[in-house]
C-alpha cells in the first residue's frame, strides 16, 4: 500500500488491507487532482488505541479531510469522527454477506453530534472526489484553483457521457 | 421559513416545505456556530430548471457548502451535486412509508463522479455540523478558529454525556 | 448503440452505456411492434443540462413516450418526468450491489405530481411493451391497429406458454 | 364510492373498498383534468371470474387506461394486465404490516410480456396523473389539448413550490 | 416435463417451464411416497383463462392438493386458491434479482379469505412433502397408511442426520 | 382462552397468551365451519418438553391439523412439524419490532424434509381457512361436505366483494 | 440511573441516557439473580477516550461481563469488545427510524477476532439473563449455585407459560 | 468431523454436516486457545428428541458453553438455550438464498427469558472466540490464565493489523 506522509492533506484509512482493492479508487481520484494523501490500515477493532490516536492527531498533523473505509459492523469512520473536528468521509465496504447493507447502516446512521459524510456501497472513488470538493470549498486561492479543476472534471464527465451516446 | 441571503456560506434547500420540521435542525446547528446560511424550497421535481440554476450559481454566489434534504425518490441532493463543484450534503427525509430507506438509498447510492455526503435518516442536525466541519477544514485563520469551536463543541458533548452518567 | 431519429415515437434513454445490455430488450420489444424509436445516453448526473433539454424538447420533437433506464441513485426517469408532459417509463437497472433495490426505490417512490411508470428490476422488455400499450391506447385508427397487434402478441404468449406445458 | 359509467376513459378498480381512502386520490386527479372515469371494487381473489371479465371487456367498453390498487399479495394489477391490451397502472396499497413493501414487489416484479406501470406505495394521485399523461400522449387534437393542460399543471406545481420557498 | 394425468391426486403447476429445475423436487418427493400427480405449465399472466379453468376444475377432476410454483410477482398460487376449495401450496421461485424475496411476499401475503400454504424460497421438496402430509391427514385407511409412511420418512431423516454426526 | 378438547380435529397453539388477539381469528374461522378445535399455549422456548410431547401425541390424540402462531424467532411451528406427521400451519405473529418479518422468515424458511404451511404476517384467519381446506381435501363424504361449504364460503366472499363495488 | 460500584460483576453501559428505558430490563434481570452490577452512560461517540478507558479497565476493576446497549450506528458494544478480554453482550436499541435494524447490524456484524454476543432488538432482559448464564458457566461453587438458580428460573418460566394455557 | 468427547468444555453443534465448512472456524479458534471441545450434528428439525436430550444433558456432562450453528429457519441455538442453563452462542449460517438474513433473525430475535448470544452471519470464528471469553470470565485461576491468553491474542491482532499498514 503506497503511503505519502509528507504534506498529506487527506488521510485515507481502512479497517483491513483486504479493503484496499475497494479503497484504492479513492487514492486514484485524489491523485487525479494532485492532492497529497497518506494511506494506512487503522482498524477500529484490532488497534483501537492507535485508531483513537490517529483521529486525535489528524488535524494537528496537517490533515484536512479523513476518508475511512470499513465493512460489516463498520465502526472506523464514526469513531474517527468522534475524536477529530475534521470532516470524515465514510465508505461502506461490501463484505461476503449482506452486500454492504450492514456496512452502510453502520456508517451512515450516526447519532446527533458526530456526522460522517457517507458515500455509496463501495463508492471509494466518490469519497476521493468528495474530499477534493471539500478541499476546494475553501476561501483561499488554492481552493479556488481546485474548484476550477473540479468544474473542469465535471465538464469532461459530461463530454465523455455525451460521446457514449453518439 | 427564515432566509438569510446576505453573505450566506451554506445553502440549505429542501424539496418541499413539509421537510422543514426535519431540516430546521440543520439551520439550528449552523446558528450555534454563527454560520450565515440561506434556506429555501428548491424542488428537483416541481421546479427542475430553478433547481439546476440554483446549483449552477451556488459557488459564484459565494456559497461554499450545500445541504439538501429530500424524501422518497430523493433526487435533489444528487442533482445539485451534478451541477456544482461544491460539497453537497444530503439528508434523507423519512416520509409516510418505508421509514426513509427509500430516501437514504436514493441519496447515497450516487454513481462514480458525483458524490453526495449523506447523513442519517432525518439527520439534519448532523448535516449542519458536517457543513461546519467542512468550513472548518480550510487552511485560513477563519477555518482554524471554526475548528477550535468544533473541538470545543465536542468537549461539551462529552461533558454532557458524562454528566448524564452520574 | 443504434439511433433512429427519424419519426421516432419513443425516446429510449439510459444513464450510462453500461446499461445498454439491459435496455436493449426495450428496443427489441419496440422493434417487434414496428415502433420507431431513438436510443441515447442521457445521464442525469453527468450531463444534467442536456438531460433537462432532452426532456423539455421531447414532446415537441414528436416523441410520445420516454423510456429511461438507470441504476443506483437512479434519477434519470424522475427528472425527465419533471420536465415533460409525456408518460415516462422507468427501468431500474441492477448494479453491482443491492441487486437493484436501490434503483427500484429511487425510481418508483416519486412525489405526488410527477409520476414515473416503473417496471421490474431489469424489466426493459416490459418497458418496451408498456410503451406499445400506451401508444395503442389512443382513439385513432393507428392506435386501434396497434392494440390489435398487442392482443395478437398476448395470444402468442399464451400459445407458447401452453405449448411448454405439453 | 362514486361511479361514472358513461363514457369513462379510465377504469379505476381496487381489491377492497378499504383501499378507497388511498385510491380516491387517483379519482381526484382525474377530475382535475376532466377525465371521465368509473370506480369499482374488483377483487382478484374474491371475485376472480368477474375480475378476468372486467379486464377482457375493458378495451371494448371504451376504457383506454386501467388504474388498479391492491395491497399485500397484490395480484389485481398484474392479472388485469394479462387479459387486456390496455396500459394498466398499479398502485401498491400499504396494509397493516410491512409498510407496502409486499404490495410494491407483488405489483412491480411482473414477468416479461405483461407490464404493469407501477407508482409509489400509496401513490394513487400519481396513478391518476400518469393516466392523464397516457391519454395526453395520443396523436389527435384532444390528446394535444390534454398535453397542454398537463404542461399547465406542471407550471402550477412549480409556481406553488416556488411560492413556498419565499 | 413428465405428466401423469391418470388418477393424479396432486396438481403440480408452475408459471414457466424455467421453473421446472426448482419444481422437479416436489415431483420427486411425491414419487417417493407413491403419490400420483400431474405436472403442467399454467401461467397466471400468459394464459389467465386456462389458469382460472385449471383451478375451477381441479377438485372435480379428482385433484386433492395443488402445488404452484412461481417467481417475481408470483400470482399463480394465489389466483388458483381463489377459484378452488382445495388446499394450494405455494413455492416462491427465486429469479435473477431480489433472491426470491419478491416471490415470497407475493405468495404469502394473501388477503383474508384466500389462504396459500407457503413454503420456503425454492422449497419445492417441502411443498411435495406438505402435500403428502395433507393427503395423510384424512380419516380413511389410505390416509392412515400414508401417515405411517411419513412417520417412517421422519425416522429415516433422523437416522441419516444422526449418522452424519458420527 | 377457550379450549375444546373433545373431538378436536385442529390443535390451535401459540407461543404466548399475548398472541391470542391475533390467533383468535383462526379459532373464529374454524367455528364458522363447525370444526372442533382445541386452543392452548405451548411455548417452544419456555416449555420445550411439553411442546415436543404435544407434537408427538397430536396425531394419536385425533388431531388432523395443527395451527401454530409465534413471533420473533418463531420456532414453534417448525419444531412441531419436526415431531408430527400432521400438516402444520404457521402464523407469523408481528411483535413490537421488525413488523413480523423476523417471524415470517423464522417460520417459512424451513429446511428440506420438514415443511410448515406458512400464511401471511398476522394471517390467523387464513390459517383457520387453510385448516378447513385441508380437512375438506379428504376422500370421504365428510370432506366432500366440507368442500361444498368452502365453495359456498367463496361464493359469499365474492358476493360481498361485489356488493361493495355497487 | 442507579449505580452500584461496589463489587459489581457486570458493567451495564449505554450510549445515551435515552437508552435507559430499554436497558433497565437488563438491570432488573440481574437483580432477580442477585448479581451486583454498575450502570453508566458511556458514549462511544461523545466520550470516546472515556469509553476506551472503561473497556481497558473493566477486567482489572473486577467486572466479569459487560452489557452494552446502543442504537443506530451502534459502535459501543464492538468498541468495548476491542479493548477488553471480557465477554461483551450487545443490545440493539431501536431508534425513531428503521426499527432497530441498523442497530442490530451495527452490533452483530463484527469482524473476525472481536466477538459481540448480540441479543434481539430491544432485548435488554435477555442481555441480563445471558450475563447470568455466563457467570453461571464457571467451574466454582458460586457458579454452580447460580446455574441452579437459572434452572429454577427456567422451571418457573415453564410453569407460568403452562398456567397461561389452562 | 472430528469429535473430542473427553473433557470437552464446549459443545459445538450444527444442524447439518453441510454447515461444517462454516463451523470449522469455531473449532479452530477453540484449538488456538487449547480449549477441549466436541463437535456433532444435532438437527433441531430432523432429530428433535436427541437435540432436546443434548441440551438437557449438556451441563451435567461437563460442557460449559454451547456453540450452535444453523441456517434458514435456524431453530437449533434457540431450542438448545431453552433446555440448558448454559450460555448458548448462535451462528447464523448463510444458505443459498437470502444471504443469511433469515438465519440471523431466526437466531437473534429470541423471546424474553431465553437468550442466545448471536454472532455475525457466518461468524463461526467469533463464536469460538466468544466461548473463550466466556470461559475466561470466571473467578478461578484457570480463567485468569485464559484471560491473559485472550489479552495476548488481542495484542497479536493489533500487531498484525499494524504490520499491514506499513
Amino acid at each position: 500500500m503506497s503511503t505519502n506522509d509528507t504534506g498529506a492533506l487527506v488521510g485515507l484509512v481502512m479497517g483491513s488491507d483486504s479493503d484496499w482493492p475497494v479503497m484504492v479508487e479513492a487514492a486514484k481520484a485524489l491523485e487525479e487532482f494532485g492532492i497529497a494523501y497518506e494511506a494506512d490500515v487503522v482498524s477500529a477493532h484490532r488497534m483501537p488505541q492507535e485508531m483513537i490516536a490517529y483521529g486525535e492527531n489528524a488535524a494537528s498533523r496537517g490533515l484536512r479531510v479523513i476518508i475511512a473505509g470499513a465493512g460489516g459492523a463498520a465502526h472506523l469512520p464514526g469513531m474517527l469522527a468522534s475524536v477529530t473536528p475534521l470532516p470524515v468521509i465514510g465508505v461502506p465496504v461490501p463484505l461476503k454477506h449482506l452486500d454492504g447493507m450492514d456496512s452502510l447502516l453502520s456508517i451512515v446512521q450516526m447519532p446527533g453530534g458526530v456526522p460522517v459524510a457517507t458515500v455509496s456501497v463501495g463508492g471509494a472513488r466518490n469519497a476521493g472526489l468528495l474530499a477534493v470538493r471539500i478541499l476546494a470549498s475553501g476561501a483561499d486561492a488554492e481552493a479556488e484553483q481546485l474548484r476550477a479543476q473540479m468544474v473542469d472534471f465535471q465538464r469532461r464527465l459530461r463530454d465523455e457521457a455525451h460521446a457514449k451516446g453518439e
Side-chain angles (χ1 to χ4, degrees), chain A residues 44-156:
Chain A
H45 296 121
R46 282 172 293 187
M47 37 195 277
Q49 289 89 349
E50 287 86 338
M51 181 269 291
I52 294 285
Y54 185 91
E56 288 177 334
N57 300 329
S60 62
R61 284 179 53 236
L63 296 179
R64 288 170 52 198
V65 181
I66 294 176
I67 297 174
H75 299 175
L76 180 61
M79 288 312 301
L80 289 175
S82 76
V83 289
T84 182
L86 298 180
V88 176
I89 301 171
V91 182
V93 176
L95 300 188
K96 197 177 167 193
H97 302 297
L98 304 186
D99 216 13
M101 188 51 92
D102 48 355
S103 319
L104 172 57
L105 294 175
S106 298
I107 291 175
V108 81
Q109 288 295 91
M110 288 292 290
V114 189
V116 170
T118 309
V119 295
S120 68
V121 175
R125 179 167 176 76
N126 271 357
L129 294 171
L130 181 56
V132 175
R133 287 187 182 223
I134 289 172
L135 292 171
S137 73
D140 53 304
E142 220 167 337
E144 202 167 329
Q145 191 269 341
L146 201 55
R147 200 150 65 237
Q149 264 184 275
M150 179 54 77
V151 168
D152 204 57
F153 168 83
Q154 293 178 299
R155 192 176 300 125
R156 286 200 310 277

